[in-house]
């Protein structure tokens, strides 16, 4: 019989080898953690933990120690610094997210434990991420996989929503005073069979937070209407009952009509699909297949990865032969939810459990993050996309200093004809002949440098003006 401790490993299925053609839109693999500082990294997300206006990385570990952790973003030095342990005694962590739970202006952390059967939140005592207090939200008889932060009762603070795989419950707890003192559980559903993930958003356009759930034991994606904006929910309304082993769900506007559609990935039928919110009120109709050729996709994230204004897909595949684990993205080709083929970002991974996208380097595009429980690593890939320009970033060119205050210089083993500077929205600001350009007059922001060579070729580099 499957237990909660072998769940994550026992569902790796046997499928043909995954094979796609790659393009160079994302940079090399930059490790955030390895086996020396974090064992079995499970979930990955981002938040500004230390209040310095950049995104740090949150990591859970499903190992029996050091379940909640964060890593400081040290940009513009282009490295992510030391891993900080939030709790050494919090065990077998699954989900981990950040949010201001006590309304004191800094980011706290919410996490679930499959080993300790509980949800806790960690109070960021100094706003710098150096001192934490662990506070219990809810105990379970048998494991909880996912918990999220949403304002369910429309009172301006963050409540907790959870889904329990083994107890088969979807519920929420009210943040009673806005300080992180929570109510007892308000049960939304007792038929969340195999519940593995919950997502929140205004599905029916009435201004409050509804919920979307993945129920893998019954192959069902369902939504739950917040009837009064105070947390009284409807029974589950099934969107699809044809998602074999559905494990993750998201809400995003896939077709550009300003309402939230549902997206799901399921591991037993190799399917990623989105479901159209046809009337903007939760009337889900057509299933749109995004991909059925990736083996056992068990991680899903939605984000604009190519800076064209629509929502793309970030996911993974699991194979029985090398390469074992593949990180990839799929482009929303027309902004209407018609998708291209998967494009490989990294094909040297093993067992990816979480994917995420966020602008780690503050250059205006979303970079890609992952966690791999088999390799005991987490990492990120820089997004090299440039807004409005369908060229690739130069990789054999050095620009310095970066960030820059006055004079930007270029070093390359080719003859440079001229340099041009553009905004991230492709507006040309200046042009000069030679291998350096004065940028002191520019406002503090991220820009694109276009390098034009004597042989007629050209390329691009991003830089930060301080």
């Amino acid at each position: 019989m499957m237990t909660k401790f072998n769940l994550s490993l026992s569902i790796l299925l046997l499928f043909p080898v995954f094979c796609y053609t790659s393009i160079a839109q994302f940079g090399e693999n930059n490790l955030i953690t390895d086996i020396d500082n974090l064992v079995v990294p499970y979930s990955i997300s981002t938040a500004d933990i230390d209040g310095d206006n950049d995104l740090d990385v949150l990591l859970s570990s499903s190992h029996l120690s050091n379940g909640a952790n964060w890593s400081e973003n040290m940009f513009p030095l282009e490295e992510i610094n030391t891993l900080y342990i939030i709790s050494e005694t919090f065990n077998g962590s699954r989900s981990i997210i950040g949010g201001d739970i006590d309304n004191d202006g800094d980011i706290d952390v919410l996490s679930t434990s499959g080993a300790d059967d509980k949800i806790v939140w960690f109070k960021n005592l100094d706003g710098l991420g150096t001192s934490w207090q662990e506070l219990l939200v809810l105990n379970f008889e048998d494991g909880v996989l996912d918990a999220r932060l949403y304002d369910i009762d429309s009172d301006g603070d963050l409540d907790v929503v959870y889904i329990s795989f083994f107890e088969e419950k979807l519920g929420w707890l009210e943040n009673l005073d806005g300080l992180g003192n929570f109510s007892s559980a308000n049960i939304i559903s007792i038929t969340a069979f195999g519940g593995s993930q919950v997502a929140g958003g205004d599905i029916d356009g009435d201004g409050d937070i509804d919920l979307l759930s993945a129920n893998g034991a019954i192959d069902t994606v369902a939504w739950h209407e917040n009837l009064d904006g105070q947390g009284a929910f409807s029974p589950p309304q099934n969107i699809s009952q044809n998602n074999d082993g559905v494990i993750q769900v998201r809400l995003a506007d896939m077709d550009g009509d300003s309402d939230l559609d549902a997206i799901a990935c399921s591991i037993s039928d190799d399917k990623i699909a989105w479901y159209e919110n046809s009337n903007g009120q939760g009337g889900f109709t057509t299933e749109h297949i995004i991909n059925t050729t990736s083996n056992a996709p068990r991680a899903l994230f939605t984000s604009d990865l190519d800076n064209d204004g629509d929502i793309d897909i970030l996911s993974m595949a699991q194979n029985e032969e090398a390469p074992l684990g593949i990180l990839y993205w799929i482009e929303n080709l027309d902004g209407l939810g018609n998708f291209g083929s998967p494009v490989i970002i990294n094909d040297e991974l093993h067992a990816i459990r979480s994917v995420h996208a966020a602008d780690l380097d503050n250059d205006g595009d979303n970079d890609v993050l992952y966690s791999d429980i088999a390799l005991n690593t987490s990492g990120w890939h820089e997004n090299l996309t440039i807004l409005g320009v369908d060229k690739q970033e130069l990789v054999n060119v050095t620009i310095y200093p970066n960030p820059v205050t006055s004079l930007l210089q270029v070093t390359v083993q080719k003859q440079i004809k001229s340099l041009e500077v553009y905004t991230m929205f492709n507006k040309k600001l200046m042009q000069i002949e030679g291998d350096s350009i004065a940028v002191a007059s520019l406002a503090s922001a991220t820009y694109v440098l276009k390098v034009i060579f004597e042989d007629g070729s050209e390329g691009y580099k991003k830089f930060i003006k301080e």
Side-chain angles (χ1 to χ4, degrees):
M1 178 178 179
M2 186 185 300
T3 70
K4 60 186 174 185
F5 301 108
N6 65 21
L7 171 67
S8 62
L9 295 178
S10 63
I11 57 178
L12 300 183
L13 306 178
L14 301 181
F15 294 96
V17 174
F18 182 105
C19 184
Y20 297 122
T21 301
S22 176
I23 63 172
Q25 183 184 4
F26 289 90
E28 64 184 11
N29 185 20
N30 303 284
L31 288 183
I32 301 171
T33 63
D34 59 22
I35 195 170
D36 292 331
N37 59 2
L38 187 65
V39 179
V40 199
Y42 199 90
S43 290
I44 191 166
S45 62
T46 56
D48 184 8
I49 298 298
D50 52 1
D52 62 352
N53 298 315
D54 58 31
L55 291 175
D56 307 301
V57 177
L58 284 166
L59 281 158
S60 71
S61 169
S62 57
H63 191 60
L64 297 181
S65 64
N66 301 350
N69 311 269
W70 73 281
S71 183
E72 184 179 0
N73 189 337
M74 294 297 291
F75 277 101
L77 300 178
E78 299 191 358
E79 64 181 42
I80 292 180
N81 202 20
T82 307
L83 186 75
Y84 297 95
I85 299 171
I86 297 173
S87 173
E88 296 181 348
T89 59
F90 185 64
N91 300 321
S93 177
R94 295 303 179 94
S95 65
I96 187 168
I97 57 170
D100 187 3
I101 294 173
D102 53 2
N103 285 301
D104 63 351
D106 57 38
I107 299 298
D108 309 299
V109 172
L110 182 77
S111 189
T112 61
S113 170
D116 293 337
D117 302 326
K118 63 183 180 181
I119 304 172
V120 303
W121 74 279
F122 298 95
K123 180 177 175 62
N124 191 345
L125 294 173
D126 58 4
L128 301 175
T130 62
S131 181
W132 301 88
Q133 179 184 5
E134 181 178 327
L135 297 159
L136 179 68
V137 177
L138 186 63
N139 277 316
F140 290 82
E141 293 181 4
D142 206 353
V144 58
L145 292 188
D146 192 38
R148 303 285 158 176
L149 291 167
Y150 301 108
D151 184 7
I152 295 299
D153 53 0
S154 308
D155 64 351
D157 56 36
L158 292 175
D159 308 301
V160 171
V161 178
Y162 69 89
I163 194 164
S164 175
F165 185 95
F166 293 98
E167 293 190 7
E168 301 169 346
K169 292 176 183 177
L170 174 66
W172 73 283
L173 301 99
E174 182 184 355
N175 191 340
L176 295 169
D177 52 6
L179 301 176
N181 294 302
F182 288 93
S183 70
S184 58
N186 300 285
I187 304 300
I188 298 169
S189 173
I190 59 172
T191 58
F193 302 116
S196 57
Q197 193 171 63
V198 61
D202 187 6
I203 293 173
D204 54 1
D206 64 353
D208 55 36
I209 300 296
D210 310 298
L211 298 174
L212 181 72
S213 63
N215 308 287
I218 53 175
D219 306 328
T220 299
V221 178
W223 79 282
H224 311 259
E225 182 183 355
N226 190 340
L227 297 170
D228 58 0
Q230 302 294 311
F233 283 88
S234 71
Q237 303 178 56
N238 293 336
I239 297 173
S240 172
Q241 295 177 282
N242 187 34
N243 304 76
D244 194 359
V246 60
I247 192 164
Q248 292 205 355
V249 290
R250 299 285 173 182
L251 286 167
D253 182 8
M254 305 305 289
D255 51 3
D257 62 354
S258 300
D259 58 37
L260 292 176
D261 307 299
I263 310 96
C265 68
S266 41
I267 59 173
S268 298
D269 57 8
D270 307 334
K271 182 168 69 176
I272 302 175
W274 72 276
Y275 301 88
E276 185 177 350
N277 189 347
S278 60
N279 61 2
Q281 299 175 8
F284 290 94
T285 54
T286 308
E287 177 185 71
H288 300 268
I289 300 297
I290 298 173
N291 185 35
T292 57
T293 60
S294 59
N295 304 331
R298 59 168 301 129
L300 175 69
F301 199 81
T302 53
S303 177
D304 183 4
L305 295 174
D306 52 3
N307 280 330
D308 62 354
D310 56 38
I311 300 298
D312 308 301
I313 296 293
L314 179 65
S315 189
M316 53 75 65
Q318 191 75 50
N319 297 311
E320 66 171 9
E321 301 177 20
L324 297 176
I326 297 174
L327 177 67
Y328 65 88
W329 76 283
I330 309 177
E331 182 184 358
N332 189 339
L333 297 172
D334 54 7
L336 301 176
N338 295 301
F339 284 82
S341 299
V343 177
I344 293 174
I345 299 171
N346 188 334
D347 62 359
E348 298 181 345
L349 302 173
H350 281 241
I352 303 165
R353 283 299 173 268
S354 180
V355 294
H356 188 79
D359 187 5
L360 280 186
D361 51 3
N362 290 314
D363 64 352
D365 52 35
N366 288 319
D367 309 299
V368 166
L369 301 87
Y370 70 87
S371 62
D372 187 323
I373 64 169
L375 292 180
N376 289 296
T377 59
S378 65
W380 72 284
H381 292 263
E382 182 184 358
N383 191 336
L384 303 179
T385 301
I386 300 175
L387 278 173
V389 183
D390 60 354
K391 306 291 185 181
Q392 297 304 314
E393 184 160 353
L394 293 167
V395 294
N396 296 317
V397 173
T398 299
I399 61 174
Y400 62 94
N402 189 17
V404 59
T405 56
S406 57
L407 186 67
L408 185 67
Q409 301 188 57
V410 181
T411 300
V412 62
Q413 297 299 317
K414 292 177 70 173
Q415 188 67 35
I416 296 174
K417 180 180 180 181
S418 62
L419 303 174
E420 299 175 359
V421 174
Y422 291 79
T423 70
M424 292 298 291
F425 296 96
N426 205 28
K427 179 182 178 181
K428 185 176 177 180
L429 299 178
M430 56 179 63
Q431 178 177 351
I432 192 169
E433 294 185 358
D435 59 4
S436 63
I437 187 166
V439 296
S441 62
L442 295 177
S444 297
T446 299
Y447 296 92
V448 176
L449 178 70
K450 180 178 180 179
V451 183
I452 302 171
F453 299 102
E454 291 288 356
D455 62 7
S457 62
E458 58 188 38
Y460 304 83
K461 293 287 284 188
K462 285 176 280 191
F463 69 91
I464 298 172
K465 166 62 171 60
E466 289 187 329

